[in-house]
Amino acid sequence: MSFFPAPLDNLIDCFARLPGVGRKSAQRLAFYVLRLPKEEAEAFANAILEAKNSVRYCNICQNLTDGEICQICASPKRDGATVCVVADPKDVAAIERSREYNGHYHVLHGVISPMNHIGPDDIKIKELLSRVNKGGISEIIMATNPDTEGEATAMYVSRLLKPLGVKVTRLAYGIPVGSNLEYADDATLFRALEGRREM
Amino acid sequence: MSFFPAPLDNLIDCFARLPGVGRKSAQRLAFYVLRLPKEEAEAFANAILEAKNSVRYCNICQNLTDGEICQICASPKRDGATVCVVADPKDVAAIERSREYNGHYHVLHGVISPMNHIGPDDIKIKELLSRVNKGGISEIIMATNPDTEGEATAMYVSRLLKPLGVKVTRLAYGIPVGSNLEYADDATLFRALEGRREM
């Protein structure tokens, strides 16, 4: 049973459905929204509608955009011959933050995961193949996460790409910069030794 | 610098402004909303507008309601001669959950707090006085939090009420049910001893 008016309960329910937000937090958030000035509450509601209605996938790389083509694909300064394949738009943001990469991207929107009933046709693999088939791409960098599903997806996609005559690479494995050898796990240390380079 | 389309960034900003929600969580929440079915995203936006527009203060007790008068004040089953004074609508919900109380409430919407520039005129004290002046109330239970500001507010309000010929009581202090004496603080133990009752 609830002791709040119905519209407030409804708002608490909405917040409680968000990932990582429990009942108590949802209540705190709903009360915060109630205390907001009217314009700010309306701006919040509009931000939800606006994001939901205007954000779509880029026609080329499937990254999120509010136009037809994302800023990266549209930029004449970026090198379209290299394509970095990631699982999620957040990974694009992470790689962009490093300021090291000047090529294009391809966002798969997921990884192959039989456990979760996600097969190759459920993520944007065929869009990647048709990009490569159109030509002009010389290297594909597989940058899915270094976990089981990310590895399997990278392996699967690279096997489809190699017959098309494109160079397929994978992000380097190794010890993270600024970390401590003592706490590195065995698999990472093994890969770091295996991939050692001359200084 | 951001690497997401502007409407998405805007939504992340909105979430990041909520209390206890950091930048990373805001990003996760915004992506969750993006992936919601259109109807659910719209329902979320409407819940915000609806709660903001329809929830107001009860004309009598200042609790939250979506009508003129809240359910508790409107109920013929509740005893209007006893009024429990709380700082916050969430405290009404807490006391209602105990199912022990059958009187009315008065919500102050805050406590006197000189540190935060909240004086007696900034909370609903005069509304309480005018309720008592109208007659029909025999007991006021002060149920503000047992912290410095809650105590000071209870003391201040009780001094205003006593001359009006109404009985003013305060919630009992003591050890919480189910707790462990070993971990009880000195002040609570002192109050528990002081308020001991014959078995």
Side-chain angles (χ1 to χ4, degrees), chain A residues 44-80:
Chain A
F44 188 7
N46 283 335
I48 292 173
L49 296 175
E50 178 73 12
K52 185 68 202 166
N53 290 330
S54 72
V55 176
R56 70 198 73 183
Y57 293 163
C58 167
N59 283 343
I60 299 172
C61 73
Q62 314 295 324
N63 193 9
L64 298 175
T65 174
D66 53 345
E68 290 289 310
I69 289 174
C70 76
Q71 284 180 15
I72 293 172
C73 287
S75 165
K77 290 185 190 157
R78 312 277 307 211
D79 168 24

Side-chain angles (χ1 to χ4, degrees), chain A residues 49 82 84 119 121 147 151 156 198:
Chain A
L49 296 175
T82 312
C84 180
D121 294 336
D147 54 16
E151 288 295 346
Y156 181 90
E198 202 167 332

Side-chain angles (χ1 to χ4, degrees), chain A residues 57-63 73 80-87 101 104-110 112 120-144 150 152-169:
Chain A
Y57 293 163
C58 167
N59 283 343
I60 299 172
C61 73
Q62 314 295 324
N63 193 9
C73 287
T82 312
V83 172
C84 180
V85 178
V86 295
Y101 181 67
H104 283 198
Y105 289 93
H106 189 88
V107 182
L108 293 175
H109 290 283
I112 299 170
D121 294 336
D122 299 319
I123 61 178
K124 309 286 184 186
I125 292 177
K126 49 185 181 306
E127 288 81 354
L128 176 62
L129 295 179
S130 80
R131 273 179 88 177
V132 174
N133 274 324
K134 273 182 201 154
I137 295 176
S138 59
E139 180 178 356
I140 299 273
I141 304 169
M142 293 306 303
T144 50
T153 306
M155 193 62 78
Y156 181 90
V157 173
S158 74
R159 281 189 192 157
L160 292 176
L161 288 171
K162 276 181 186 163
L164 305 178
V166 68
K167 181 178 164 193
V168 185
T169 56

Side-chain angles (χ1 to χ4, degrees), chain B residues 121-164:
Chain B
D121 295 337
D122 299 318
I123 61 177
K124 308 287 183 185
I125 292 177
K126 49 186 182 305
E127 288 81 354
L128 176 62
L129 296 178
S130 80
R131 274 179 86 176
V132 174
N133 274 324
K134 274 181 199 154
I137 295 175
S138 58
E139 180 178 355
I140 299 274
I141 304 169
M142 293 305 304
T144 49
N145 281 329
D147 53 17
T148 321
E149 292 167 348
E151 288 294 346
T153 306
M155 193 62 78
Y156 180 90
V157 173
S158 74
R159 279 187 193 158
L160 293 176
L161 288 171
K162 276 180 184 161
L164 305 178

Side-chain angles (χ1 to χ4, degrees), chain B residues 5-42:
Chain B
L8 178 55
D9 259 330
N10 186 22
L11 183 58
I12 294 174
D13 287 344
C14 282
F15 275 118
R17 256 178 254 134
L18 296 175
V21 178
R23 196 78 205 161
K24 273 273 180 213
S25 303
Q27 200 173 299
R28 205 180 61 233
L29 297 179
F31 271 90
Y32 175 83
V33 169
L34 268 195
R35 276 192 296 263
L36 281 180
K38 202 169 151 70
E39 315 80 64
E40 281 187 43
E42 282 168 3

Side-chain angles (χ1 to χ4, degrees), chain A residues 15-27 29, chain B residues 21 28-29:
Chain A
F15 275 119
R17 255 177 255 134
L18 296 175
V21 178
R23 197 78 207 161
K24 274 273 179 212
S25 304
Q27 200 172 299
L29 296 178
Chain B
V21 178
R28 205 180 61 233
L29 297 179

